[in-house]
Amino acid sequence: AACTSQQARSAALAQLLRCVPHAVLLEDGQGDISVLVSAAARPLVSADGAAAERLPGGCLLRRNDAAWLEALPQARHYLYPVHPSQSLLCSSTLASSLYLLLLTLAHRRYDDTLRLSDACSADTRPSAEEAQLWRAVVEAGLSDSHPEAHAARLKLWLPQRPPPV
């Protein structure tokens, strides 16, 4: 049977959202699609008590971490416009890029992590939210010894290191 454009769209979106299964899809009157994701759900790579919800791919979401919630701004969500090609999510802030990167690491989607790493650098002091996300990225990396995880961490680390003297 032939694949309809609606089926192709659904398949493309499903592939795009494989690391954010807790997302809500939004579509405006012009057909533009965005993805709304709760920033209050802390992604974890390994089990962290009964308060976490296991997602496909081995990632856990912890929704009651008081310290995590405290570092978030008042708006506790990220909005990612979906590119018209439906091949990538667009992020408008460093924090939203880091959250998406953390989800790709937690789901061991190293190709996506490498693609996102270029959007995760800044030349300013991180906010409390950004610093928290960087710590979570480091924690996620500590429990993953896959060679591609090492490559992803190096690609993240190199632009952040201080210049040689």
Side-chain angles (χ1 to χ4, degrees), residues 44-65:
L44 302 168
V45 174
S46 60
D48 190 27
E53 171 191 343
R54 184 172 298 279
L55 296 177
C59 179
L60 299 167
L61 290 180
R62 187 168 184 188
R63 299 177 188 274
N64 65 347
D65 187 324

Side-chain angles (χ1 to χ4, degrees), residues 60-123:
L60 299 167
L61 290 180
R62 187 168 184 188
R63 299 177 188 274
N64 65 347
D65 187 324
W68 182 266
L69 295 171
E70 187 176 307
L72 295 177
Q74 202 161 18
R76 294 181 173 189
H77 65 275
Y78 301 116
L79 185 65
Y80 301 99
V82 176
H83 189 271
S85 69
Q86 295 186 353
S87 62
L88 61 107
L89 297 175
C90 304
S91 52
S92 59
T93 66
L94 176 58
S96 64
S97 295
L98 285 168
Y99 190 80
L100 196 54
L101 181 123
L102 179 57
L103 285 169
T104 64
L105 274 174
H107 282 88
R108 292 171 170 77
R109 302 297 304 191
Y110 307 116
D111 53 340
D112 294 333
T113 302
L114 289 170
R115 277 194 291 279
L116 278 167
S117 63
D118 292 332
C120 294
S121 63
D123 57 0

